[in-house]
Amino acid sequence: MREQEQHPDICEVLQILGSKWVVLVLGELSAGPKRFKQLQRDVAIVKTQSLTSTLRHMEHNGLVRREVFPTVPVTVEYSLTAKGSEFLEALKGLETWVEKWTARVQ
């Protein structure tokens, strides 16, 4: 708990990344908004309950916007917020860092 008090911002980032499917869902939503069923088909490896939980976690952290359309049946669409898009960009920077330093170790 003491580490969280000293470094609350990085702990928030690590908590987001600790969710198993966040990076995969961010990647899918980077192409644009998707309805739940389409997102579910695109990330077929993720079980429905896990996808729902991940999306709720991401919405709670401000990375994803959930929009409900009053259709029959109800249509739900997810999209990245500005915070989610910037988070994805930060992850791309981390990916560049990994590629650079992994190549040097080998």
Side-chain angles (χ1 to χ4, degrees):
M1 186 65 151
R2 186 176 171 109
E3 281 295 314
Q4 288 179 339
E5 292 169 2
Q6 292 176 349
H7 308 286
D9 297 334
I10 195 67
C11 288
E12 179 185 351
V13 171
L14 294 174
Q15 185 179 31
I16 292 168
L17 289 174
S19 183
K20 188 173 183 178
W21 303 111
V22 165
V23 175
L24 181 62
V25 173
L26 280 172
E28 287 298 326
L29 291 177
S30 69
K34 291 193 178 187
R35 292 183 175 170
F36 182 82
K37 290 291 185 182
Q38 182 61 50
L39 189 56
Q40 188 177 30
R41 281 190 294 272
D42 292 346
V43 294
I45 191 172
V46 183
K47 295 187 186 274
T48 303
Q49 184 58 42
S50 294
L51 179 58
T52 300
S53 176
T54 298
L55 287 165
R56 284 182 184 154
H57 174 72
M58 293 172 73
E59 184 181 14
H60 174 76
N61 285 288
L63 302 175
V64 167
R65 178 183 304 96
R66 179 180 187 262
E67 190 171 358
V68 179
F69 297 94
T71 58
V72 178
V74 172
T75 303
V76 178
E77 185 177 84
Y78 293 90
S79 59
L80 291 181
T81 60
K83 182 179 179 181
S85 294
E86 287 186 30
F87 192 81
L88 187 60
E89 288 302 312
L91 288 177
K92 288 178 183 175
L94 187 57
E95 182 179 35
T96 301
W97 179 84
V98 168
E99 289 171 359
K100 176 182 177 180
W101 290 100
T102 302
R104 291 182 181 195
V105 173
Q106 295 176 349

